[in-house]
């Protein structure tokens, strides 16, 4: 017996190591591996106009929930991850595309920061939603920058089981010179879960300004469900450093997945507080830079500043602010508001802001 073990044990170990290597190779081949900083996809024709110093710019920030629309409770929408829905219907996607493009047409923004735009995902029939939006907008936004923040050829989650391509998109009526992807700190977890999980990012673009300093615009969608590790603190710190190192003027918009103040936490039902920390990780950003909604606006309890209406029917109403604009010091701001569509178009409301270039 000892002789048999001596003969076969090394072979068994070698076979296990080979199998582990093959599995690691398969996981690597199926998943995305962005660099810490890399160029993002950018398309902008030479005919696109250039901003001018002193010009007013209208900016929209919106998580469009991959055009899924309303009437669903997706598996990730509940605290226990047991929502019954895994994907929207084709009719819902078509209707929501109509509603999103109609809202954009009504608001007439110059610069649009979008989160959760699907491109080649199984759940949305492998559509390129960026192309769909551009086509429906009729060339009004000739310049586009985009980067993935969740991409895999196959995700072995029982509610996904297929290809995922989720992206940040920035659309502009005006010339974009550069587009850059910045990798945010990763969520913690076991290596296999981390490999197939989101790779959250910041998408930065620069808009040249005639007779003035260029405008930088940043777009992000930070992590959620990061309880048990310091992911949110590290992502906020990364954004704080990035913005601090960026020459003015700049504007940032995104779905930060964080409450703005302790009062916002206290207003939530006890069950909903499980998603957040009482002392929000967002404090360093809101203390350093101007924001909309501001901490004072959030503390007021005015429902006009709520940006999110959860799909979870146990919540049943718009109840929190987790989407924001941030501004470089000294940037002149005008009209700011949350567009609270009824019925809702996405589980997030669009934010509108007007800034004036130096």
């Amino acid at each position: 017996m000892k002789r048999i073990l001596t003969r076969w044990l090394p072979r068994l170990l070698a076979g296990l190591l080979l199998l582990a290597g093959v599995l690691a190779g398969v996981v690597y081949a199926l998943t995305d591996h962005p660099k810490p900083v890399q160029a993002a996809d950018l398309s902008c024709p030479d005919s696109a106009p250039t901003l001018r110093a002193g010009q007013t710019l209208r900016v929209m920030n919106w998580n469009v929930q991959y055009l899924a629309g309303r009437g669903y409770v997706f598996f990730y929408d509940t605290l226990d991850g047991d929502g019954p829905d895994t994907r929207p219907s084709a009719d819902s996607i078509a209707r929501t595309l109509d509603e999103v493009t109609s809202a954009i047409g009504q608001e007439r923004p110059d610069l649009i920061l979008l989160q959760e735009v699907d491109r080649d995902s199984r759940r949305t029939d492998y559509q390129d939603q960026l192309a769909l939006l551009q086509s429906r907008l009729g060339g009004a936004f000739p310049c586009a920058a985009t980067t993935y923040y969740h991409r895999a050829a196959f995700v072995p989650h029982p509610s996904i089981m297929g290809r995922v391509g989720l992206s940040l998109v920035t659309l502009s009526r005006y010339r974009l010179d550069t587009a850059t992807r910045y990798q945010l700190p990763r969520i913690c977890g076991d290596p296999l879960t981390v490999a197939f999980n989101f790779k959250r990012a910041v998408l930065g673009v620069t808009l040249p300004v005639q007779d003035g300093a260029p405008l930088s615009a940043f777009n992000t969608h930070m992590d959620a469900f990061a309880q048990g590790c310091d992911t949110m603190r590290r992502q906020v710190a990364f954004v704080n450093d990035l913005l601090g190192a960026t020459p003015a003027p700049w504007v940032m918009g995104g779905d930060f997945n964080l409450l703005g103040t302790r009062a916002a936490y206290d207003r939530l039902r006890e069950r909903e507080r499980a998603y957040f920390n009482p002392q929000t990780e967002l404090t360093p950003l809101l203390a350093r830079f101007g924001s909309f909604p501001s901490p004072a606006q959030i503390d007021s309890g005015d429902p006009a500043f709520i940006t999110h209406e959860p799909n979870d029917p146990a919540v049943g109403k718009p109840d929190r602010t987790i989407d924001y604009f941030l501004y470089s010091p000294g940037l002149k701001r005008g009209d700011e508001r949350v567009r609270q569509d009824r019925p809702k178009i996405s589980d997030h409301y669009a934010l509108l802001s007007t800034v004036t270039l130096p």
Side-chain angles (χ1 to χ4, degrees), residues 286-331:
L286 299 187
R288 184 178 184 185
F289 303 114
S291 69
F292 176 74
S294 69
Q297 289 169 329
I298 296 167
D299 279 347
S300 73
D302 188 335
F305 301 117
I306 289 176
T307 70
H308 182 54
E309 182 175 349
N311 292 329
D312 187 347
V315 179
K317 63 178 182 179
D319 73 336
R320 67 198 72 171
T321 300
I322 56 177
D323 307 82
Y324 304 89
F325 279 116
L326 299 173
Y327 307 95
S328 58
L331 185 62

Side-chain angles (χ1 to χ4, degrees), residues 57-248:
L57 191 73
R58 186 165 172 79
V59 188
M60 172 182 274
N61 172 42
W62 199 359
N63 179 331
V64 294
Q65 195 193 10
Y66 52 94
L67 304 182
R70 53 192 169 270
Y72 297 99
V73 184
F74 294 110
F75 63 94
Y76 54 79
D77 283 326
T78 60
L79 192 61
D80 296 328
D82 57 357
D85 296 314
T86 59
R87 59 149 296 159
S89 70
D91 287 344
S92 290
I93 296 169
R95 181 196 66 208
T96 309
L97 176 63
D98 287 342
E99 294 175 341
V100 167
T101 53
S102 177
I104 291 171
Q106 293 167 15
E107 298 295 345
R108 298 187 59 80
D110 300 301
L111 184 68
I112 309 177
L113 312 175
L114 299 177
Q115 303 89 46
E116 290 198 22
V117 178
D118 260 5
R119 306 185 71 194
D120 199 25
S121 291
R122 178 176 180 265
R123 66 184 175 188
T124 47
D125 302 320
Y126 307 101
Q127 295 174 336
D128 183 346
Q129 293 185 339
L130 169 56
L132 290 174
L133 287 165
Q134 286 183 301
S135 175
R136 293 296 295 274
L137 292 168
F141 300 88
C143 297
T146 184
T147 190
Y148 290 100
Y149 62 102
H150 192 198
R151 180 167 62 168
F154 184 88
V155 175
H157 186 285
S159 295
I160 301 175
M161 300 303 289
R163 182 180 294 276
V164 171
L166 188 65
S167 61
L168 300 167
V169 167
T170 296
L171 301 175
S172 177
R173 295 183 188 272
Y174 295 93
R175 175 174 298 282
L176 300 177
D177 264 358
T178 65
T180 306
R181 184 192 195 278
Y182 302 91
Q183 176 63 50
L184 285 170
R186 301 286 302 280
I187 197 167
C188 58
D190 65 86
L192 189 62
T193 299
V194 170
F196 284 102
N197 214 325
F198 289 79
K199 297 175 175 65
R200 306 278 183 168
V202 175
L203 173 61
V205 299
T206 55
L207 293 83
V209 177
Q210 185 176 343
D211 300 322
L215 173 71
S216 296
F218 297 98
N219 180 4
T220 195
H221 185 184
M222 291 170 58
D223 258 306
F225 319 120
Q227 293 75 12
C229 63
D230 67 345
T231 305
M232 305 311 294
R233 181 194 63 78
R234 291 184 293 116
Q235 290 187 354
V236 167
F238 182 95
V239 170
N240 201 356
D241 290 343
L242 175 63
L243 297 180
T246 302

Side-chain angles (χ1 to χ4, degrees), residues 12-42:
L12 177 62
L13 291 175
L16 291 174
L17 288 173
L18 178 61
L19 178 61
V22 170
L23 290 175
V26 169
V27 170
Y28 188 89
L30 290 174
T31 55
D32 203 16
H33 307 279
K35 298 176 181 178
V37 179
Q38 65 184 47
D41 292 338
L42 173 62

Side-chain angles (χ1 to χ4, degrees), residues 51-58 110 174 354-357:
L51 287 171
R52 302 182 308 277
Q55 183 172 341
T56 297
L57 191 73
R58 186 165 172 79
D110 300 301
Y174 295 93
T354 300
V355 298
T356 302
L357 299 175

